[in-house]
Amino acid sequence: MQPNNTFRLKRLKELQFLTQLCLAIIFVHWTWLGEWFVTCYVPPVSALLYASYRVAATGRIELGSALFLGIINFSALLFMWSFYGLRDEAIMLLPAVMFFAAMLSGIRLMLWSFAISSVNLLILGWMGQSGQWTREVPMQDLNSAFLMFLLLAMTAYGIWAVVSQLRTILDELKLENARYRQSQLQVEQLIHHDPLTGLPNRLKAREMFDTAVVRCSSNQTMVALTFLDLDNFKSINDSLGHKLGDRYLQQVAKTLSATLRESDSLCRFGGDEFVIISTNITHSKQVDALAMRILQCTATALEIDGHELTLTCSMGISMVPQDGMDFDSICQQADLAMYKAKESGRNQYRYFQSGMSEQLSQQLCMERGLRNAIELQQLSIQYQPKVCLQSGMIESVEALLRWEHPQIGEISPEVFIPLAERSGQIGMLGDWVLENAIRQCVEWHKAGLPELSIAVNVSPAQLIRGRFAQTLARLLEQYNLAGQFLLLELTESVFLEAGQELRQSLSVIQGLGVRLAIDDFGTGYSNLAYLKKFQVSQLKIDRSFVTNLMDSVENQAIVTAIVQMARSLGLTTIAEGIEDKQTADFLGQLGCDKGQGYHWSRPLEAAQMPGFLLADTPILKATAI
């Protein structure tokens, strides 16, 4: 039963009880007075009223209410015609009936009651005036007063019931309105604020920026937008975990908030990126002073769970109106200036300069061009051999992606790979490289190089997508290539940040027979635990330790430690960036297994590789990777 029907049935039940009580009192009263007409009339009316209530209780509320009120209306009119007409006490029931009709059924039943009562009243009045119907009205006494009291009590109850229900509804509406306002505040908080720090997010920052720009236009001041990024924050997450990293960000937010002026607003865009909107700026020296205070406060050590953490920050600053008025453009400019600060050594700030716009335009141009690079055949894959340092034999090659832009020229992977990751295009590029490398490996096998293996770099963003393992399995089956001929080179961050889904994906990949290697090993926070946990087969020593190896005692110590550690764990080591025989011989003497670099060959086109391999060096079996 619907809530409204439940309420109506409840009220009808209460009215039924009150009416039956009144009838019982009337029955006793008029029996005592000897008024047998009323005494005989009350019992059947009482039964009919109860029957009408039972009809309503079965779910037919409208019918039951109409019958109930119709019986009362008929009884009132009958008593008026039987006794004293317009002077009879029963006339008090007529407005009560209309009131109950409106409460229980609605306007239609009330209008019917009004129409029937009005017709009867007019007829009674006309007949009385014309002398066709006359009754002597007795003197008013306590019996009459008692009857009127009962009828008045019924009407009063109906009024009380409606008013009580209205008050209840109003209280519920007030409570619901309070809940709605609270939920609106919560939604507002969620939409416009960062859940970790409680600071305004990008959406709220846009509103605050637009308001600040309007004010600065009216009072002839400036607005400064400072893009702040913590230096090497990833090291905290990698070494101490994301939970502690989140607590550090919360503490940094509090520290920054305490450092800013009242007219400055601190926002968080995500990760370790904060934005400061400074208003009422009349001179750039004010921004310089603020930036210096921020550099000092972020460099202060913070103690969290027994760990003393110190990080610096890099900042980029863009000014309104000098650099523009649009929020997105100002943010891009400040972001670009921040990266310039990082390139200049970190722990400093840079203002946006017009010359940076060219670089920004170039980045946007590259991002647009990258979307069509595959279709326009601007991308290509080159292959660089990997050599066994002990035997001098070539056992595998690494697939290296290259991009030749028609306007910019050749673009380094160190530039366009991060760009692809930021713009969400890394999945498309990664799948294209993987498929072409697998197909090329199969073609080489058919061309007389049956044991050649191929290594492919995989971006963390590409692997975390979740579909990589399925794509890899499909391509291996499509081109009929055994997994043992493929080596995936991954960065350490993939293993350090591996969640449940990523661990399952890596397990599926290894189940295909594909080997895993850690690229750029030694540049991160090398954790020996994951080397065995994920069954890594190869460590690739970063070129930064190899390029000037013979001139750096420190690099020699690092490389020696990596090789010895890998050997104790049963892992293969490969050094990239070998450019001369002296370095190759030194690494071979250390026990490094493999080498890669210009000493043997620059990256070659796919068509050049078979001739190079067959002419110069025999091929090792793929199982050696």
Side-chain angles (χ1 to χ4, degrees), residues 340-401:
K340 285 295 183 182
K342 284 187 178 293
E343 291 174 1
S344 301
R346 305 174 186 259
N347 193 28
Q348 53 188 293
Y349 65 94
R350 288 287 184 272
Y351 283 94
F352 174 77
Q353 298 176 356
S354 59
M356 298 178 185
S357 297
E358 298 180 4
Q359 183 177 352
L360 179 60
S361 299
Q362 189 179 57
Q363 288 183 355
L364 295 175
C365 177
M366 284 194 294
E367 183 176 330
R368 290 192 297 268
L370 192 57
R371 299 184 188 279
N372 301 317
I374 295 177
E375 182 180 348
L376 298 176
Q377 298 182 347
Q378 297 172 4
L379 296 179
S380 63
I381 301 177
Q382 295 181 348
Y383 301 88
Q384 189 171 35
K386 295 183 177 182
V387 180
C388 176
L389 294 178
Q390 307 305 320
S391 65
M393 294 191 296
I394 299 175
E395 59 174 28
S396 61
V397 297
E398 179 182 0
L400 302 171
L401 182 61

Side-chain angles (χ1 to χ4, degrees), residues 54 104 126 159 167 275 277 291 383 391 422-423 464 479 507:
R54 296 310 306 170
L104 296 174
W126 176 75
I159 295 173
R167 286 178 177 173
V275 166
I277 301 175
Y383 301 88
S391 65
R422 291 196 301 269
S423 61
I464 292 172
Y479 290 99
S507 178

Side-chain angles (χ1 to χ4, degrees), residues 209 223-227 275-278 316-319 327 330-331 334:
F209 176 84
V223 174
L225 188 142
T226 303
F227 205 101
V275 166
I276 302 167
I277 301 175
S278 303
I317 304 170
S318 186
M319 302 292 294
F327 176 74
I330 292 294
C331 282

Side-chain angles (χ1 to χ4, degrees), residues 43 154 218 234 278 322 349 414 426 436 484 579 611:
M154 289 183 62
S218 61
K234 183 176 178 296
S278 303
Q322 294 92 318
Y349 65 94
E414 296 179 356
I426 190 62
N436 280 272
Q484 64 180 359
E579 298 183 355

Side-chain angles (χ1 to χ4, degrees), residues 364-513:
L364 295 175
C365 177
M366 284 194 294
E367 183 176 330
R368 290 192 297 268
L370 192 57
R371 299 184 188 279
N372 301 317
I374 295 177
E375 182 180 348
L376 298 176
Q377 298 182 347
Q378 297 172 4
L379 296 179
S380 63
I381 301 177
Q382 295 181 348
Y383 301 88
Q384 189 171 35
K386 295 183 177 182
V387 180
C388 176
L389 294 178
Q390 307 305 320
S391 65
M393 294 191 296
I394 299 175
E395 59 174 28
S396 61
V397 297
E398 179 182 0
L400 302 171
L401 182 61
R402 297 292 183 261
W403 182 18
E404 185 72 24
H405 193 280
Q407 285 81 38
I408 302 175
E410 184 175 345
I411 302 175
S412 169
E414 296 179 356
V415 174
F416 72 80
I417 293 298
L419 178 65
E421 291 176 336
R422 291 196 301 269
S423 61
Q425 301 180 67
I426 190 62
M428 172 191 67
L429 290 182
D431 291 348
W432 184 83
V433 172
L434 187 63
E435 180 173 4
N436 280 272
I438 290 175
R439 182 178 64 245
Q440 185 60 63
C441 187
V442 172
E443 290 180 2
W444 283 334
H445 288 182
K446 294 178 181 179
L449 303 170
E451 304 300 335
L452 185 65
S453 301
I454 195 164
V456 177
N457 288 278
V458 178
S459 164
Q462 180 186 0
L463 189 60
I464 292 172
R465 288 187 310 150
R467 301 191 307 271
F468 181 82
Q470 291 82 350
T471 300
L472 176 60
R474 176 181 59 80
L475 292 174
L476 290 175
E477 181 179 3
Q478 177 181 344
Y479 290 99
N480 194 26
L481 180 68
Q484 64 180 359
F485 292 104
L486 184 63
L487 176 74
L488 299 182
E489 295 187 359
L490 312 171
T491 59
E492 287 182 84
S493 62
V494 171
F495 301 95
L496 290 170
E497 301 174 3
Q500 182 63 30
E501 293 184 3
L502 187 54
R503 288 196 294 269
Q504 291 178 354
S505 180
L506 291 174
S507 178
V508 171
I509 291 171
Q510 292 178 310
L512 299 171

